[in-house]
Amino acid sequence: MPQPTEEQSVVIDAFASGTDLVVQAGAGTGKTTTLEMLAAGDARRGVYISFNKSVAVEAQRRFPQHVKCSTAHGLAFRAVAIPYKHRLNAPRMPAHRVAFGLGIHTHVTLGGKVLEPRNLAYIVLQTVERFCYSAARELSEKHVPVQRGAEEPELHQLLVQAVLPFARKAWEDITDPEGHRVNFKHDHYLKMWQLKDPQLNYDYILLDEAQDTNGVLEAVLDNQRGRAQIVLVGDSAQQIYAWRGAKDIMTGAPGTHLHLSQSFRFGAALAYEANRWLGAIRSTLRLTGHPPLATEIGPLEQPNAVLCRSNAGALTEVLSHLRAGRRVAMAGGGDGLRKLALAARDLKAGRGTSHPELLLFKTWDELQDYANNDPSGADLLHWVELIDDLGYEEILGSLQRLTDEHTSEVTISTAHKAKGRQWPRVRISDDFPEPDPTEDGKPGRISRSEARLAYVAVTRAQHHLDRGSLAWILDHPAAQPARTTHAAPPGPVPTSPPQKAGYRTWGDLGPLPPTAGEPGCR
């Protein structure tokens, strides 16, 4: 194990004092290594919780034996899921079977659009899923997802009235070991575990990626306060999954707040670039680069990875590289894009679609109108235009030509799927939008959620970054570089909360007032 840096030593000493910790660990700053250091120097029984099973398995190999490494699902399975194990192996159940089993036999009309029983069954399952992600103890109308094309409050209330009774009936079936009307999933037993108010039999808990924590796990952790020392580690600036129900439980959490700012992933030039985005996010954290690495910022002809804002942008990049004769892979595979293309095929045939986001649309014309004229559908416009220009047949054929990442020349990924990964040479695609200017022509306010996504994207590079469509940040007054040749100043300056050892800020990129109406993050 390497020698700890000065910042890591501060975290180790604070952990030894027994206080709860909240450690803001910037991109590439060695947060998992830091957690290993905590465990190696403490003989008490601990548990390390990650969100990814492969990460937990690798951590168990690296952490000392007195530390259990697991996902939250792994802990929940051992506690409550054994009586339901046989249900996890049940065959997939199509929506019409779910509808029949729950007694959904009638259609529902919302604003002239008809939801068939199988469509309602999809929404019922989505409602249960949202409940399972939350800290709530009862299913309620807040768990019923708003549907595209029926965003108006009165239409949504009609949907709530139709869906909620069946969602409660589905949950009753899920919690019955002999239930059979709904498939039993891993998120179901996680929720059942939380509702039992479990007490973990460990002296300390290390939670990784705490900036993206679902309410269900937050409730479990809150139940351990006062019983175990809790260490939350993550990067609030990389909080990008609010749209999926997660939130940042680090900001404002009780305990001693510390920072890790020394990145080992990239050099000073990229740390300087990352700090522009941290300034735009209004984060107090500022990164310094790894001196042995010389990261270049500029145009790039042959990237290892191209990172995109949207699925439509990713598809555009896939087509471009395939036409250039390159071997192309997609991070996570192309299944999501394939499902959208199949949805387009079904809508063009006028038979509706089972795609969960497009249930209310029966024809392609309806979706075109929604994407072109309804503000809620603006994010679909690029996708609709691609289908109109190329046809779903060409898109499906191109996706079949994707190869494995191990044999590809370039990997295409959305920024969301790139989180936690790194590549030597990264190009940012052209689908990251610049903020709209104000009425008097001044640069527009940078959305914090967009700035967080940009920060994740640019910090995936190790040796070379091509800014692509994020180059506008160079001229934006909210993120101008400090008047220094350093990526961060040599010493700490006062921050809020009160300064502790391990904090580092960059005063010339001071915080801006919050954007009015901007949603919180998961």
Side-chain angles (χ1 to χ4, degrees):
M1 189 174 295
Q3 283 293 112
T5 65
E6 180 180 346
E7 290 179 327
Q8 288 172 330
S9 294
V10 171
V11 175
I12 293 168
D13 291 343
F15 179 69
S17 74
T19 184
D20 288 352
L21 297 181
V22 181
V23 183
Q24 292 283 355
T29 56
K31 60 183 176 60
T32 305
T33 300
T34 304
L35 293 176
E36 286 183 68
M37 292 175 176
L38 301 185
D42 192 309
R44 295 177 298 160
R45 294 183 70 250
V47 60
Y48 164 85
I49 303 175
S50 74
F51 289 94
N52 184 287
K53 183 176 180 180
S54 63
V55 172
V57 170
E58 173 62 17
Q60 193 66 76
R61 186 183 66 81
R62 296 167 54 180
F63 276 68
Q65 290 185 351
H66 59 271
V67 177
K68 173 68 178 177
C69 297
S70 177
T71 62
H73 286 86
L75 297 174
F77 183 88
R78 286 181 287 274
V80 302
I82 300 303
Y84 301 85
K85 186 176 180 180
H86 64 286
R87 293 190 61 184
L88 286 168
N89 300 320
R92 290 179 179 271
M93 191 178 299
H96 71 271
R97 287 278 307 279
V98 175
F100 181 81
L102 294 176
I104 305 174
H105 303 306
T106 60
H107 298 71
V108 172
T109 301
L110 299 176
K113 297 182 173 67
V114 177
L115 282 172
E116 299 174 358
R118 64 184 178 90
N119 302 138
L120 283 172
Y122 274 117
I123 300 171
V124 165
L125 297 180
Q126 288 178 317
T127 300
V128 172
E129 181 180 72
R130 287 160 61 96
F131 169 62
C132 289
Y133 289 158
S134 76
R137 304 193 73 86
E138 298 287 344
L139 266 161
S140 69
E141 65 179 70
K142 69 181 180 182
H143 300 118
V144 180
V146 175
Q147 297 299 300
R148 288 186 180 273
E151 291 88 351
E152 296 86 348
E154 59 274 14
L155 293 181
H156 181 64
Q157 194 57 40
L158 288 174
L159 182 67
V160 167
Q161 294 171 8
V163 165
L164 199 53
F166 292 112
R168 289 172 175 152
K169 187 174 182 179
W171 183 246
E172 290 178 5
D173 181 82
I174 287 165
T175 55
D176 180 357
E178 302 306 318
H180 59 277
R181 295 179 175 87
V182 177
N183 277 132
F184 189 83
K185 297 184 177 181
H186 295 279
D187 287 334
H188 297 156
Y189 64 73
L190 180 65
K191 183 63 179 178
M192 292 161 58
W193 181 56
Q194 176 248 318
L195 291 175
K196 289 181 177 294
D197 297 320
Q199 296 183 19
L200 303 184
N201 188 27
Y202 296 98
D203 299 309
Y204 61 85
I205 300 167
L206 310 175
L207 178 64
D208 205 350
E209 300 287 353
Q211 80 283 346
D212 282 317
T213 302
N214 287 325
V216 61
L217 180 55
E218 181 186 15
V220 172
L221 286 174
D222 285 343
N223 200 39
Q224 313 312 311
R225 293 196 181 276
R227 298 187 177 98
Q229 183 181 12
I230 296 177
V231 180
L232 306 179
V233 181
D235 184 357
S236 292
Q238 295 190 56
Q239 176 200 25
I240 61 174
Y241 288 106
W243 54 276
R244 219 164 59 183
K247 64 178 182 176
D248 174 20
I249 66 169
M250 301 178 67
T251 303
T256 301
H257 287 242
L258 300 172
H259 280 180
L260 296 177
S261 63
Q262 169 67 66
S263 181
F264 300 97
R265 179 178 297 157
F266 42 71
L270 206 148
Y272 190 78
E273 186 75 11
N275 287 337
R276 297 180 188 275
W277 292 105
L278 288 169
I281 297 165
R282 279 82 92 184
S283 170
T284 59
L285 179 68
R286 295 296 181 269
L287 297 178
T288 56
H290 191 41
L293 292 176
T295 306
E296 183 178 350
I297 311 289
L300 185 58
E301 291 297 324
Q302 294 184 321
N304 301 110
V306 180
L307 305 187
C308 309
R309 174 67 183 82
S310 64
N311 278 324
L315 179 60
T316 300
E317 289 287 349
V318 166
L319 297 173
S320 174
H321 285 273
L322 285 174
R323 288 168 180 166
R326 297 188 181 97
R327 297 188 304 278
V328 182
M330 283 197 73
D335 191 52
L337 292 175
R338 190 174 293 107
K339 288 178 179 177
L340 282 169
L342 291 172
R345 179 200 65 187
D346 293 342
L347 289 171
K348 282 179 174 288
R351 56 176 176 259
T353 174
S354 60
H355 195 286
E357 285 195 67
L358 306 174
L359 294 176
L360 286 178
F361 302 97
K362 300 303 180 187
T363 68
W364 186 248
D365 288 344
E366 286 184 11
L367 184 59
Q368 283 177 315
D369 180 68
Y370 176 76
N372 280 284
N373 301 311
D374 192 319
S376 300
D379 61 310
L380 292 172
L381 184 57
H382 189 185
W383 171 255
V384 168
E385 290 174 342
L386 278 174
I387 295 291
D388 287 336
D389 290 343
L390 301 174
Y392 64 82
E393 300 94 338
E394 180 175 346
I395 291 172
L396 288 170
S398 297
L399 294 174
Q400 289 180 341
R401 295 168 57 194
L402 292 174
T403 187
D404 184 85
E405 283 195 59
H406 296 295
T407 59
S408 69
E409 295 175 88
V410 61
T411 296
I412 311 299
S413 177
T414 61
H416 284 93
K417 288 184 179 177
K419 188 174 179 296
R421 302 191 60 181
Q422 62 188 28
W423 292 271
R425 301 182 304 280
V426 172
R427 178 169 67 80
I428 305 299
S429 74
D430 63 0
D431 67 336
F432 284 83
E434 182 175 356
D436 293 330
T438 62
E439 291 183 359
D440 56 0
K442 294 180 180 179
R445 177 66 59 84
I446 301 174
S447 159
R448 277 197 236 186
S449 59
E450 290 297 321
R452 283 189 283 263
L453 194 62
Y455 168 69
V456 168
V458 300
T459 55
R460 301 309 96 194
Q462 296 171 286
H463 304 301
H464 195 139
L465 171 71
D466 184 339
R467 295 185 184 94
S469 59
L470 290 176
W472 57 263
I473 193 69
L474 297 173
D475 300 319
H476 200 286
Q480 287 303 298
R483 293 181 295 276
T484 172
T485 58
H486 299 288
V493 296
T495 66
S496 179
Q499 181 180 344
K500 299 179 176 66
Y503 270 92
R504 189 183 296 273
T505 69
W506 198 14
D508 285 3
L509 290 183
L512 299 174
T515 302
E518 191 166 297
C521 291
R522 71 176 229 165

